[in-house]
Short mmCIF file of all heavy atoms in Angstrom, two decimals:
data_model
loop_
_atom_site.label_atom_id
_atom_site.label_comp_id
_atom_site.label_asym_id
_atom_site.label_seq_id
_atom_site.Cartn_x
_atom_site.Cartn_y
_atom_site.Cartn_z
N ALA A 55 11.49 4.08 -18.96
CA ALA A 55 12.53 5.05 -19.38
C ALA A 55 13.13 5.70 -18.10
O ALA A 55 12.47 5.63 -17.06
CB ALA A 55 11.90 6.08 -20.29
N PRO A 56 14.28 6.30 -18.22
CA PRO A 56 14.89 6.95 -17.04
C PRO A 56 13.93 7.94 -16.35
O PRO A 56 13.86 7.92 -15.08
CB PRO A 56 16.13 7.65 -17.61
CG PRO A 56 16.50 6.81 -18.80
CD PRO A 56 15.19 6.37 -19.40
N ALA A 57 13.25 8.76 -17.05
CA ALA A 57 12.33 9.72 -16.41
C ALA A 57 11.16 9.01 -15.72
O ALA A 57 10.70 9.42 -14.66
CB ALA A 57 11.79 10.70 -17.46
N GLU A 58 10.75 7.90 -16.33
CA GLU A 58 9.65 7.10 -15.75
C GLU A 58 10.13 6.42 -14.46
O GLU A 58 9.35 6.25 -13.51
CB GLU A 58 9.17 6.05 -16.73
CG GLU A 58 8.39 6.62 -17.89
CD GLU A 58 8.01 5.59 -18.90
OE1 GLU A 58 8.83 4.70 -19.19
OE2 GLU A 58 6.90 5.64 -19.43
N ARG A 59 11.38 6.02 -14.42
CA ARG A 59 11.94 5.39 -13.18
C ARG A 59 11.87 6.37 -12.02
O ARG A 59 11.62 5.97 -10.89
CB ARG A 59 13.33 4.86 -13.42
CG ARG A 59 13.37 3.58 -14.23
CD ARG A 59 14.71 2.94 -14.18
NE ARG A 59 15.65 3.69 -15.07
CZ ARG A 59 16.05 3.23 -16.25
NH1 ARG A 59 15.74 2.06 -16.66
NH2 ARG A 59 16.85 3.98 -16.99
N LYS A 60 12.18 7.62 -12.29
CA LYS A 60 12.12 8.64 -11.22
C LYS A 60 10.69 8.82 -10.75
O LYS A 60 10.44 8.84 -9.55
CB LYS A 60 12.67 9.96 -11.78
CG LYS A 60 12.72 11.04 -10.70
CD LYS A 60 13.34 12.33 -11.24
CE LYS A 60 13.30 13.35 -10.14
NZ LYS A 60 13.89 14.63 -10.59
N GLU A 61 9.75 8.87 -11.70
CA GLU A 61 8.35 8.94 -11.29
C GLU A 61 7.88 7.72 -10.54
O GLU A 61 7.15 7.82 -9.55
CB GLU A 61 7.46 9.22 -12.53
CG GLU A 61 6.02 9.48 -12.18
CD GLU A 61 5.16 9.89 -13.35
OE1 GLU A 61 5.66 10.03 -14.47
OE2 GLU A 61 3.92 10.04 -13.11
N LYS A 62 8.32 6.54 -10.98
CA LYS A 62 7.98 5.29 -10.30
C LYS A 62 8.48 5.34 -8.87
O LYS A 62 7.76 4.96 -7.94
CB LYS A 62 8.63 4.11 -10.98
CG LYS A 62 8.54 2.83 -10.21
CD LYS A 62 9.58 1.81 -10.64
CE LYS A 62 9.75 0.76 -9.60
NZ LYS A 62 10.90 -0.07 -9.78
N ALA A 63 9.69 5.82 -8.60
CA ALA A 63 10.27 5.92 -7.26
C ALA A 63 9.38 6.82 -6.39
O ALA A 63 9.09 6.50 -5.22
CB ALA A 63 11.68 6.41 -7.31
N GLN A 64 8.93 7.93 -6.94
CA GLN A 64 8.09 8.84 -6.19
C GLN A 64 6.73 8.21 -5.86
O GLN A 64 6.22 8.32 -4.77
CB GLN A 64 7.87 10.15 -6.97
CG GLN A 64 9.17 10.94 -7.13
CD GLN A 64 9.02 12.10 -8.10
OE1 GLN A 64 8.17 12.11 -8.98
NE2 GLN A 64 9.93 13.07 -8.02
N ILE A 65 6.15 7.49 -6.84
CA ILE A 65 4.90 6.80 -6.64
C ILE A 65 5.06 5.75 -5.54
O ILE A 65 4.23 5.63 -4.64
CB ILE A 65 4.37 6.17 -7.95
CG1 ILE A 65 3.96 7.27 -8.91
CG2 ILE A 65 3.23 5.20 -7.67
CD1 ILE A 65 3.68 6.75 -10.36
N MET A 66 6.13 4.98 -5.60
CA MET A 66 6.37 3.91 -4.62
C MET A 66 6.52 4.49 -3.22
O MET A 66 6.04 3.93 -2.26
CB MET A 66 7.63 3.09 -4.99
CG MET A 66 7.46 2.25 -6.25
SD MET A 66 6.10 1.04 -6.10
CE MET A 66 6.70 0.04 -4.76
N GLN A 67 7.17 5.63 -3.11
CA GLN A 67 7.32 6.27 -1.77
C GLN A 67 5.96 6.67 -1.25
O GLN A 67 5.65 6.48 -0.04
CB GLN A 67 8.24 7.49 -1.85
CG GLN A 67 9.68 7.12 -2.06
CD GLN A 67 10.57 8.33 -2.31
OE1 GLN A 67 10.11 9.43 -2.47
NE2 GLN A 67 11.86 8.11 -2.30
N ARG A 68 5.09 7.20 -2.09
CA ARG A 68 3.75 7.57 -1.65
C ARG A 68 2.94 6.35 -1.27
O ARG A 68 2.24 6.35 -0.28
CB ARG A 68 3.02 8.38 -2.74
CG ARG A 68 3.64 9.79 -2.93
CD ARG A 68 2.78 10.66 -3.81
NE ARG A 68 2.56 10.16 -5.15
CZ ARG A 68 3.30 10.49 -6.20
NH1 ARG A 68 4.30 11.34 -6.09
NH2 ARG A 68 3.01 10.01 -7.41
N ILE A 69 3.06 5.26 -2.06
CA ILE A 69 2.36 4.03 -1.72
C ILE A 69 2.83 3.49 -0.35
O ILE A 69 2.00 3.09 0.47
CB ILE A 69 2.60 2.94 -2.82
CG1 ILE A 69 1.83 3.37 -4.12
CG2 ILE A 69 2.12 1.58 -2.33
CD1 ILE A 69 2.16 2.49 -5.33
N LEU A 70 4.11 3.52 -0.11
CA LEU A 70 4.64 3.01 1.18
C LEU A 70 4.16 3.85 2.34
O LEU A 70 3.84 3.32 3.39
CB LEU A 70 6.13 2.97 1.13
CG LEU A 70 6.76 1.89 0.22
CD1 LEU A 70 8.26 2.04 0.10
CD2 LEU A 70 6.40 0.50 0.70
N ARG A 71 4.12 5.17 2.17
CA ARG A 71 3.60 6.04 3.23
C ARG A 71 2.10 5.74 3.49
O ARG A 71 1.68 5.66 4.65
CB ARG A 71 3.80 7.53 2.89
CG ARG A 71 5.20 8.04 3.13
CD ARG A 71 5.28 9.55 3.06
NE ARG A 71 4.92 10.13 1.80
CZ ARG A 71 5.79 10.31 0.79
NH1 ARG A 71 7.06 9.99 0.94
NH2 ARG A 71 5.38 10.80 -0.33
N THR A 72 1.34 5.60 2.42
CA THR A 72 -0.06 5.29 2.55
C THR A 72 -0.26 3.93 3.25
O THR A 72 -1.09 3.81 4.13
CB THR A 72 -0.76 5.27 1.18
OG1 THR A 72 -0.57 6.55 0.54
CG2 THR A 72 -2.22 4.95 1.25
N ASP A 73 0.54 2.96 2.85
CA ASP A 73 0.48 1.61 3.47
C ASP A 73 0.76 1.70 4.96
O ASP A 73 0.10 1.06 5.76
CB ASP A 73 1.47 0.69 2.79
CG ASP A 73 1.35 -0.73 3.33
OD1 ASP A 73 0.28 -1.34 3.23
OD2 ASP A 73 2.36 -1.25 3.90
N ALA A 74 1.71 2.53 5.35
CA ALA A 74 2.05 2.69 6.76
C ALA A 74 0.86 3.27 7.51
O ALA A 74 0.54 2.85 8.65
CB ALA A 74 3.29 3.56 6.94
N GLU A 75 0.19 4.26 6.90
CA GLU A 75 -1.00 4.85 7.54
C GLU A 75 -2.10 3.82 7.69
O GLU A 75 -2.76 3.77 8.72
CB GLU A 75 -1.48 6.02 6.72
CG GLU A 75 -0.62 7.27 6.78
CD GLU A 75 -1.20 8.41 5.98
OE1 GLU A 75 -2.30 8.85 6.32
OE2 GLU A 75 -0.53 8.87 5.05
N ILE A 76 -2.33 3.01 6.67
CA ILE A 76 -3.34 1.97 6.74
C ILE A 76 -3.02 1.01 7.84
O ILE A 76 -3.91 0.61 8.60
CB ILE A 76 -3.48 1.26 5.37
CG1 ILE A 76 -4.01 2.19 4.30
CG2 ILE A 76 -4.38 0.05 5.47
CD1 ILE A 76 -3.86 1.69 2.88
N ARG A 77 -1.76 0.60 7.94
CA ARG A 77 -1.36 -0.37 8.97
C ARG A 77 -1.63 0.21 10.37
O ARG A 77 -2.08 -0.49 11.26
CB ARG A 77 0.09 -0.77 8.83
CG ARG A 77 0.33 -1.65 7.68
CD ARG A 77 1.83 -1.99 7.53
NE ARG A 77 2.08 -2.74 6.32
CZ ARG A 77 1.93 -4.03 6.19
NH1 ARG A 77 1.56 -4.74 7.22
NH2 ARG A 77 2.18 -4.64 5.04
N CYS A 78 -1.32 1.48 10.54
CA CYS A 78 -1.58 2.11 11.84
C CYS A 78 -3.05 2.11 12.19
O CYS A 78 -3.44 1.87 13.32
CB CYS A 78 -1.05 3.57 11.84
SG CYS A 78 0.72 3.67 11.98
N LEU A 79 -3.91 2.33 11.22
CA LEU A 79 -5.34 2.32 11.43
C LEU A 79 -5.86 0.91 11.67
O LEU A 79 -6.78 0.70 12.46
CB LEU A 79 -6.06 2.96 10.25
CG LEU A 79 -5.87 4.45 10.08
CD1 LEU A 79 -6.38 4.91 8.72
CD2 LEU A 79 -6.54 5.22 11.18
N ALA A 80 -5.30 -0.05 10.92
CA ALA A 80 -5.79 -1.40 10.97
C ALA A 80 -5.29 -2.16 12.22
O ALA A 80 -5.90 -3.13 12.63
CB ALA A 80 -5.38 -2.16 9.74
N GLU A 81 -4.19 -1.72 12.74
CA GLU A 81 -3.55 -2.49 13.82
C GLU A 81 -3.33 -1.65 15.07
O GLU A 81 -2.25 -1.68 15.65
CB GLU A 81 -2.25 -3.10 13.33
CG GLU A 81 -2.48 -4.03 12.16
CD GLU A 81 -1.17 -4.55 11.55
OE1 GLU A 81 -0.08 -4.22 12.12
OE2 GLU A 81 -1.26 -5.27 10.60
N PRO A 82 -4.32 -0.91 15.55
CA PRO A 82 -4.12 -0.09 16.73
C PRO A 82 -3.87 -0.95 17.99
O PRO A 82 -3.23 -0.50 18.93
CB PRO A 82 -5.40 0.69 16.88
CG PRO A 82 -6.42 -0.07 16.17
CD PRO A 82 -5.67 -0.79 15.05
#
Side-chain angles (χ1 to χ4, degrees):
E58 291 176 319
R59 282 191 286 253
K60 183 177 180 181
E61 186 174 356
K62 170 202 162 192
Q64 294 168 341
I65 291 169
M66 291 300 297
Q67 288 174 351
R68 291 191 299 265
I69 290 170
L70 290 172
R71 280 193 298 272
T72 301
D73 183 61
E75 288 182 60
I76 293 166
R77 287 179 188 275
C78 285
L79 291 167
E81 300 174 3

